[in-house]
Amino acid sequence: MSLLGKDSKVRVDRVVTHGTFNLDGGSWEVDNNVWVVGNDTECVVIDPAHDGRPIIKAVGKRTVVAILCTHAHDDHISALGEVSDATRGTSWLHPEDRVLWDRVYPVTPDRELADGDTISVAGVTLQVLHTPGHSPGACCFYSPELGVVFTGDTLFQGGPGATGRSFSDFDTIIASISDKLFHLPAGTVVHTGHGESTSIGVEAPHLPEWVARGH
């Protein structure tokens, strides 16, 4: 699927891959959204999951400026090595998620993400928002020019990401969503790590319900 941003020179492609998420001794079948953002010349890849082949096909002959990880759960990074080898794209991860990364890869990420960093691609900017809770180093990537934010597993259509497993915390994810994401413009489109996209304006009014239910 390809979606044009506000700047029609830039497109947002979604590649859906299927595999497993493994943590705390459990294994779950999941479909993941992989996002490829750029123009005909260059792009970034967000969360290369499960199978590198369709991701590499979506990239084509473009230069990969960065491979950005919203977090390091294995279902979000399991195809990173394959995609990096094929495209020579560099891996970017928040250092607080190394505890999860190290369970998958014996090498270190190429670059560290930090709150407030910016990554430029195809004439637009992605701003790094550190949004811990689903994992310690979880990050979202916001493009004001495109009016989109890539939230990984921090915010979904209908609520926050799961916090019932190791290295996660419900109060922390709620603070991240309310303090970082819900200060973005209401019309901002939310591209998630699983499932369908939504918007800040659609989700924000439901925050009290999420707090009340506690998950």
Side-chain angles (χ1 to χ4, degrees):
M1 181 183 72
S2 181
L3 305 168
L4 289 179
K6 291 180 179 179
D7 182 344
S8 60
K9 297 178 182 178
V10 180
R11 66 182 187 271
V12 177
D13 297 314
R14 180 175 73 163
V15 179
V16 179
T17 60
H18 180 80
T20 58
F21 165 49
N22 306 277
L23 188 66
D24 295 339
S27 182
W28 299 266
E29 296 281 330
V30 288
D31 289 327
N32 283 63
N33 295 327
V34 183
W35 300 99
V36 183
V37 185
N39 56 17
D40 291 339
T41 303
E42 62 180 18
C43 64
V44 298
V45 175
I46 301 174
D47 287 354
H50 305 305
D51 183 358
R53 292 169 297 177
I55 304 167
I56 295 164
K57 182 178 179 180
V59 168
K61 296 182 179 180
R62 291 182 284 177
T63 298
V64 175
V65 174
I67 302 173
L68 304 176
C69 303
T70 62
H71 63 295
H73 283 149
D74 64 352
D75 60 318
H76 287 255
I77 65 171
S78 53
L80 190 150
E82 183 182 358
V83 173
S84 180
D85 287 346
T87 66
R88 299 185 180 179
T90 53
S91 55
W92 298 51
L93 177 76
H94 194 283
E96 291 188 27
D97 256 26
R98 281 293 304 276
V99 65
L100 293 164
W101 169 280
D102 291 345
R103 297 178 175 206
V104 180
Y105 291 111
V107 297
T108 61
D110 297 305
R111 298 284 297 272
E112 290 187 352
L113 294 168
D115 189 61
D117 282 353
T118 58
I119 297 101
S120 297
V121 60
V124 300
T125 301
L126 293 173
Q127 301 175 1
V128 179
L129 308 175
H130 181 211
T131 52
H134 183 67
S135 68
C139 290
C140 299
F141 306 109
Y142 170 56
S143 173
E145 298 100 331
L146 298 178
V148 302
V149 61
F150 301 91
T151 57
D153 288 4
T154 294
L155 177 64
F156 292 115
Q157 183 183 74
T163 53
R165 303 185 182 100
S166 296
F167 313 110
S168 64
D169 182 77
F170 178 74
D171 290 339
T172 302
I173 202 171
I174 289 295
S176 292
I177 291 170
S178 60
D179 296 344
K180 295 283 184 69
L181 297 181
F182 284 172
H183 284 273
L184 300 178
T188 303
V189 175
V190 177
H191 290 319
T192 62
H194 308 273
E196 297 305 312
S197 298
T198 181
S199 72
I200 294 297
V202 167
E203 300 304 327
H206 300 286
L207 181 64
E209 301 168 23
W210 305 341
V211 173
R213 76 189 187 199
H215 62 82

